[in-house]
Amino acid sequence: MTLLKLSLKLLVLPTAVIVTVLQWFAIFLTSFVGAVLYMFSGVCFLAAVLGFLMNICTGPEAVKMLTTGFGVFVLPFAAGWLIGKIAALKVILWDLIKY
């Protein structure tokens, strides 16, 4: 029985390491891309509000720009949710190895 547990742990170990590295890479990528996307969504918001106030664009065009800005703003939060799922998988794998 002990030999079976040890062999299972040895099989799970590389997967746990790969999932951990994937989580770190995803956190780095999400942080970097999130900063760029936040700036882009701010530009969309300012363009929509100022364009509408200066009568450069109509109301529906401004709403389209605001929707685009909001969609871009939400993307890093969706990626953070996925990173949370990866972290939960990592915890399960490391607990399987530890006990």
Side-chain angles (χ1 to χ4, degrees):
M1 187 66 175
T2 307
L3 186 61
L4 184 64
K5 280 185 179 182
L6 182 62
S7 63
L8 179 65
K9 289 179 183 186
L10 287 175
L11 287 173
V12 173
L13 182 63
T15 306
V17 170
I18 290 171
V19 169
T20 302
V21 171
L22 178 69
Q23 180 192 6
W24 291 345
F25 179 72
I27 290 171
F28 170 74
L29 192 63
T30 301
S31 300
F32 180 71
V33 172
V36 173
L37 290 178
Y38 291 150
M39 286 187 273
F40 180 71
S41 66
V43 168
C44 285
F45 174 76
L46 286 176
V49 171
L50 293 176
F52 182 72
L53 290 177
M54 291 193 267
N55 292 327
I56 295 173
C57 64
T58 61
E61 291 173 343
V63 169
K64 286 179 188 177
M65 284 191 279
L66 285 173
T67 304
T68 301
F70 181 74
V72 169
F73 180 76
V74 171
L75 285 176
F77 292 105
W81 177 80
L82 287 174
I83 291 171
K85 296 298 181 184
I86 293 172
L89 176 63
K90 181 189 79 165
V91 167
I92 290 170
L93 290 173
W94 283 112
D95 282 347
L96 183 65
I97 292 170
K98 200 183 298 184
Y99 299 112

